[in-house]
Amino acid sequence: MSRKVHPIVLPVFLAFCAVGELHADFSLVCPPDVTISCREDYLHDPNVYGKAHTLHNGKVQYIHDCKTVIEIDDCGAGTIKRVWGVENPENWEWLLCTQIITVSNVGAFSYRDIAWPPAIVLESCDPEADLRSLTEPYDAPQWLRTICAKPMVSYKDTRYAVNPGCIKLLREWKILDWCQYDPVEFPGRGLFTYTQVIKLIQNSDTAKLQCARDTSIVNDRNCDSLFVQLEPSILKTGCGIYHDIHNTSSHALDSSADATGYYPNGLHLIPFYAEYACGTISRCTTRLEIKNGIRPTPYCLDGVVAVLMPLDTNGDGRNDGGMAEIWASDLDHGSWHKCGGQQLRYSFSSDSSDRSRMFACPDVGEQEVEIWVFDENGNSDVCKTQIEIQNNDPTIPDCDPGFSGNWRQLKGENLTEYSDLGGHDKQWIAAREMRRKAGNGQVEINAGVVAKAKAEFEVGEPHILCQAGICSMRIPVRAVDGKPVIAQAWSSDGKLLATSIPVRAGTEFELELNLPENHVLIFLVVGDGKQRSVRKMAIAD
């Protein structure tokens, strides 16, 4: 390493100090050599480092002028030679003395002169771009003065990454003072080091974890679990920052952002969490409900007969009506569920609370009912069956199958109304009475039909055979749904003359009537409890 030396020669003033008298005791005394820092203002007044003087017979006389030679290199280091000369008055001998001022740059530049860049956290969508555009005081070391020094700077980065979005960068700064550094003679001198800590964090102010949407699935395949394909959760950000998403479901195939897996029936709350920006956590939860959609298998009990029980509602000792209560579970015939352990419930309709029905006199006969079977999950299925409601108690009033009351009351109910044959009830029109003599004193009569029945319920022409005041009646009946029907004969004054047994539609009734007189007006009522046909017939023997 070479340094330039610039000698400076100051004007020489050889001063001969005047002396009064000449004596043998005479000397020239120089100030001692000194070493000073190059930082000092040594050229302003070198006399601050001492002045030469003569000593003559105990008398001190300072010499103010001297020859000065300055040899200082470009690092501010070197020497200053100050030479004084004087003539000895005793022997006229010329005396010289020299002071050497050594100017040193050791320690002229040190740690106290350096302002190191402070640690910084760069947190943004692109901290790498922020790193490339650092500004003061984070971009480089600063120093206040460089007198007697030539500092040079460099750095080296060492990265430690938790993940691509979380990095700690150690920037090792080195400042080498060209003027002081000498690794051979003085190792370590003039070399200054410092480590700046820079954290690079990818982050977004709008970061939010968006879970897979809540899902409800009906599992109608099996009783235990179902493979469910879920949408992956995503971290919504204003920029593409690094992140890692996990789920903690024990049923997922893995712990990634996609919680797809095999889930048992029931409610599942699937937690997700996203980690980003050096440990920042965003959480959300997906609600997954898997409902057991397998329906129970219903089996209905058929041929159930229920008998009306008499009721005395006012406590007068006489029955006012009849009633039978039937529970839907009474009509179960071994309904079951594919998934074991299910508690089944039964009702008469899609309303699971409709568990029982009350049947009374208007319901006498066969009634078609639905039996709904429900499981614990609300799944249901239905079967149909027939219940026969019977009245076996003659003390229950107005409780004949399908209708009650006399013909005058029947007329006011929503029935097929009859029409008169003409004139008043007990006046006959001969043209409508069809007589035909039969052998052996029998009379075969086809009664005139006044009113037509409804289309879905038709009653054919009665065939009547009378002998000695006793008439036998055959009546063909047809109904679309094939329900059992029954027939009754009523007198014009409201008396029940005869009742048939229930028969299936498409067959014939047989009624036996004891006619009190040769000419009688009767009302024939045929019905199945829901539909009725009323006909007015005149019978003449």
Side-chain angles (χ1 to χ4, degrees), residues 136-156:
E136 291 185 8
Y138 304 101
D139 59 337
Q142 306 292 324
W143 39 82
L144 301 178
R145 54 187 178 181
T146 57
I147 299 175
C148 312
K150 291 184 177 181
M152 297 172 291
V153 64
S154 68
Y155 67 84
K156 176 184 177 182

Side-chain angles (χ1 to χ4, degrees), residues 154-171:
S154 68
Y155 67 84
K156 176 184 177 182
D157 288 343
T158 303
R159 291 171 176 258
Y160 298 91
V162 177
N163 53 57
C166 180
I167 298 174
K168 180 174 285 190
L169 184 147
L170 300 182
R171 178 161 286 182

Side-chain angles (χ1 to χ4, degrees), residues 292-420:
N292 186 340
I294 299 178
R295 298 187 296 175
T297 302
Y299 284 99
C300 287
L301 186 62
D302 201 8
V304 174
V305 176
V307 179
L308 297 180
M309 302 299 293
L311 291 177
D312 180 7
T313 58
N314 56 14
D316 62 356
R318 296 181 181 180
N319 293 329
D320 304 311
M323 183 188 70
E325 182 179 19
I326 298 180
W327 290 80
S329 57
D330 296 337
L331 304 179
D332 173 49
H333 193 49
S335 302
W336 65 286
H337 201 289
K338 178 181 177 180
C339 304
Q342 290 277 349
Q343 187 70 33
L344 301 181
R345 296 170 291 143
Y346 308 89
S347 75
F348 283 102
S349 67
S350 58
D351 181 2
S352 60
S353 63
D354 186 14
R355 297 183 298 169
S356 66
R357 289 275 176 90
M358 303 297 294
F359 295 89
C361 288
D363 303 310
V364 170
E366 285 195 353
Q367 302 290 330
E368 184 179 83
V369 294
E370 293 181 343
I371 301 301
W372 290 72
V373 183
F374 293 84
D375 64 12
E376 296 173 354
N377 302 300
N379 302 310
S380 64
D381 206 346
V382 62
C383 61
K384 295 182 178 181
T385 187
Q386 301 281 342
I387 304 176
E388 184 177 350
I389 307 299
Q390 294 183 355
N391 174 29
N392 297 332
D393 192 332
T395 65
I396 301 177
D398 297 330
C399 202
D400 294 297
F403 45 83
S404 62
N406 55 42
W407 66 272
R408 299 183 190 279
Q409 296 168 327
L410 286 171
K411 180 180 177 181
E413 299 175 6
N414 189 22
L415 306 174
T416 303
E417 297 185 1
Y418 65 87
S419 301
D420 290 343

Side-chain angles (χ1 to χ4, degrees), residues 67-343:
K67 177 184 177 181
T68 302
V69 179
I70 302 175
E71 295 181 340
I72 302 296
D73 61 18
D74 56 354
C75 287
T79 60
I80 300 174
K81 293 182 179 180
R82 303 173 71 198
V83 181
W84 286 269
V86 66
E87 186 180 37
N88 188 341
E90 294 291 333
N91 54 17
W92 302 100
E93 180 181 358
W94 187 258
L95 301 179
L96 294 174
C97 74
T98 302
Q99 179 193 32
I100 297 178
I101 301 175
T102 302
V103 181
S104 173
N105 60 10
V106 176
F109 185 81
S110 63
Y111 278 100
R112 67 178 178 270
D113 298 307
I114 304 171
W116 297 102
I120 187 173
V121 177
L122 301 177
E123 187 169 357
S124 66
C125 286
D126 191 0
E128 294 288 350
D130 299 336
L131 179 64
R132 292 190 294 269
S133 58
L134 287 174
T135 58
E136 291 185 8
Y138 304 101
D139 59 337
Q142 306 292 324
W143 39 82
L144 301 178
R145 54 187 178 181
T146 57
I147 299 175
C148 312
K150 291 184 177 181
M152 297 172 291
V153 64
S154 68
Y155 67 84
K156 176 184 177 182
D157 288 343
T158 303
R159 291 171 176 258
Y160 298 91
V162 177
N163 53 57
C166 180
I167 298 174
K168 180 174 285 190
L169 184 147
L170 300 182
R171 178 161 286 182
E172 297 181 49
W173 293 98
K174 286 186 178 181
I175 297 178
L176 186 147
D177 183 4
W178 173 266
C179 296
Q180 297 186 66
Y181 184 69
D182 187 344
V184 177
E185 296 294 332
F186 305 102
R189 192 173 73 179
L191 182 64
F192 311 94
T193 61
Y194 176 80
T195 300
Q196 180 188 16
V197 179
I198 302 175
K199 293 182 180 179
L200 306 177
I201 301 175
Q202 289 184 356
N203 199 359
S204 171
D205 295 337
T206 61
K208 182 179 181 181
L209 181 60
Q210 178 178 301
C211 266
R213 67 175 181 269
D214 293 344
T215 305
S216 181
I217 302 175
V218 176
N219 181 8
D220 56 2
R221 299 179 184 177
N222 51 62
C223 298
D224 44 17
S225 63
L226 185 69
F227 180 78
V228 180
Q229 180 73 49
L230 293 173
E231 297 176 350
S233 298
I234 59 175
L235 184 69
K236 303 287 286 186
T237 64
C239 52
I241 65 174
Y242 177 85
H243 60 275
D244 197 7
I245 302 177
H246 297 278
N247 76 82
T248 58
S249 173
S250 59
H251 304 292
L253 297 179
D254 54 47
S255 61
S256 67
D258 184 352
T260 294
Y262 291 89
Y263 289 84
N265 294 337
L267 178 62
H268 304 274
L269 299 178
I270 306 174
F272 289 86
Y273 67 93
E275 183 175 358
Y276 62 98
C278 292
T280 300
I281 302 295
S282 181
R283 304 176 188 273
C284 65
T285 301
T286 292
R287 186 179 187 273
L288 171 63
E289 184 176 11
I290 302 179
K291 299 178 180 179
N292 186 340
I294 299 178
R295 298 187 296 175
T297 302
Y299 284 99
C300 287
L301 186 62
D302 201 8
V304 174
V305 176
V307 179
L308 297 180
M309 302 299 293
L311 291 177
D312 180 7
T313 58
N314 56 14
D316 62 356
R318 296 181 181 180
N319 293 329
D320 304 311
M323 183 188 70
E325 182 179 19
I326 298 180
W327 290 80
S329 57
D330 296 337
L331 304 179
D332 173 49
H333 193 49
S335 302
W336 65 286
H337 201 289
K338 178 181 177 180
C339 304
Q342 290 277 349
Q343 187 70 33

